[in-house]
Amino acid sequence: MSDKKLTIVHRYFWPQNYPYAIMLKDIAETAKESFSEVEVISSVHSVEEQERREFWARSVGVSLRSIEMKSEREMSLALKIFSMVKYWLYLTFHLITLKSDFVMIATTPPVFTAMLVRFISKVKGFKYIYHCQDIHPESSLINGNIRNKFIYNLLNRIDKKNVDNAEAVIVLSKDMKNTLTSRGSSSDSIYCINNFIFEHSQHDFSRKSSDKVKFLFAGTLGYFQNLANLFKVIEKFKRDE
């Protein structure tokens, strides 16, 4: 174990039931094995939520900094933008008063949170780890959220600097790494580490318990799921039976 301190920064954290918020709880517990001190900076939506988080933090030896905010679910777009700006202001205060060796950030909220951490790291002298669960602004361009070429290019340049100045960048796959290097970023500090739930051994599908084949899609009905191609595969499978 090193005598270094790690601070994990994210808009959401357990017991908030966002997938990455839940995952961060396990990441924080695992990080205790490598760092002498682990701290979490995140928002809290209720007293009950804060009490559960504080009980967990005491039991595993993690320190907390909480930002009191309302849940963004059911908010209008305007209120979500206001909430995001409010989060950045609170986060700026916490980062300026921070005494840490490493800060870990993710891609929520995208681009500007990492930029904020990058700016303050120059002043405070800490290093940061950039955990990319998504690649922005490329994903926003593909799903149609960004249509203006100037805005896209601006965000792309900002995030390239976020990647280039990070002590380490963690992505989930080789194609994500290739996307970052295609911007001109060096691959030396980019590491492919998939989410830990995919590290378990795969099932042996060659052993059939029935002649009936079932397809189960366990994803979201989003832009990046390639559902049209999935339906084509199922149709082709059905025709070829």
Side-chain angles (χ1 to χ4, degrees):
M1 178 189 294
S2 72
D3 60 350
K4 303 295 184 180
K5 177 181 177 181
L6 171 69
T7 299
I8 298 173
V9 172
H10 199 261
R11 171 68 174 81
Y12 305 106
F13 192 82
W14 180 93
Q16 295 161 352
N17 61 348
Y18 298 91
Y20 191 62
I22 297 170
M23 191 185 305
L24 276 179
K25 174 175 175 285
D26 294 304
I27 291 174
E29 291 174 355
T30 303
K32 282 289 295 177
E33 301 173 4
S34 302
F35 293 88
S36 59
E37 186 177 350
V38 175
E39 178 182 45
V40 174
I41 302 177
S42 187
S43 68
V44 62
H45 297 156
S46 67
V47 174
E48 179 185 4
E49 192 175 273
Q50 177 72 357
E51 289 175 347
R52 290 185 64 191
R53 190 179 295 174
E54 287 178 349
F55 179 82
W56 163 80
R58 287 192 299 270
S59 67
V60 297
V62 170
S63 57
L64 297 176
R65 291 196 187 199
S66 297
I67 302 172
E68 294 185 12
M69 299 185 69
K70 294 182 179 179
S71 173
E72 291 183 344
R73 285 176 172 151
E74 310 300 327
M75 278 189 181
S76 65
L77 177 60
L79 287 176
K80 285 182 178 179
I81 293 173
F82 175 79
S83 177
M84 185 165 58
V85 173
K86 179 182 176 182
Y87 169 72
W88 283 331
L89 291 174
Y90 276 111
L91 183 59
T92 298
F93 168 77
H94 284 293
L95 290 173
I96 288 175
T97 60
L98 189 70
K99 291 183 179 180
S100 190
D101 300 288
F102 295 92
V103 171
M104 176 180 161
I105 52 168
T107 45
T108 302
V111 180
F112 291 109
T113 305
M115 182 187 73
L116 178 64
V117 171
R118 171 165 57 89
F119 284 166
I120 298 177
S121 72
K122 301 293 185 183
V123 178
K124 297 293 294 183
F126 60 75
K127 299 175 181 179
Y128 67 91
I129 301 165
Y130 197 12
H131 192 185
C132 297
Q133 293 285 314
D134 301 290
I135 302 294
H136 295 286
E138 285 82 353
S139 59
S140 298
L141 180 70
I142 292 171
N143 67 21
N145 286 339
I146 294 179
R147 302 180 187 274
N148 186 288
K149 188 174 182 180
F150 172 79
I151 293 176
Y152 170 78
N153 289 334
L154 175 63
L155 293 175
N156 194 285
R157 287 196 298 271
I158 292 173
D159 202 60
K160 180 182 182 301
K161 290 183 179 180
N162 296 338
V163 170
D164 292 346
N165 286 272
E167 180 71 9
V169 179
I170 301 172
V171 295
L172 310 185
S173 61
K174 290 182 179 179
D175 58 335
M176 294 176 75
K177 182 175 182 177
N178 292 339
T179 299
L180 296 182
T181 56
S182 69
R183 299 173 177 175
S185 296
S186 171
S187 63
D188 293 345
S189 60
I190 303 175
Y191 304 90
C192 292
I193 306 175
N194 207 339
N195 291 337
F196 54 81
I197 59 172
F198 298 111
E199 294 178 357
H200 303 295
S201 60
Q202 300 296 314
H203 294 289
D204 182 5
F205 292 104
S206 63
R207 299 168 61 184
K208 296 192 299 182
S209 58
S210 171
D211 292 331
K212 184 180 291 187
V213 177
K214 296 180 180 180
F215 288 87
L216 173 64
F217 174 71
T220 60
L221 301 178
Y223 289 97
F224 305 108
Q225 310 306 323
N226 278 326
L227 291 179
N229 290 334
L230 176 61
F231 292 147
K232 289 178 182 178
V233 169
I234 294 174
E235 290 174 356
K236 186 177 185 304
F237 185 87
K238 188 174 181 179
R239 289 196 303 269
D240 294 344
E241 276 190 307

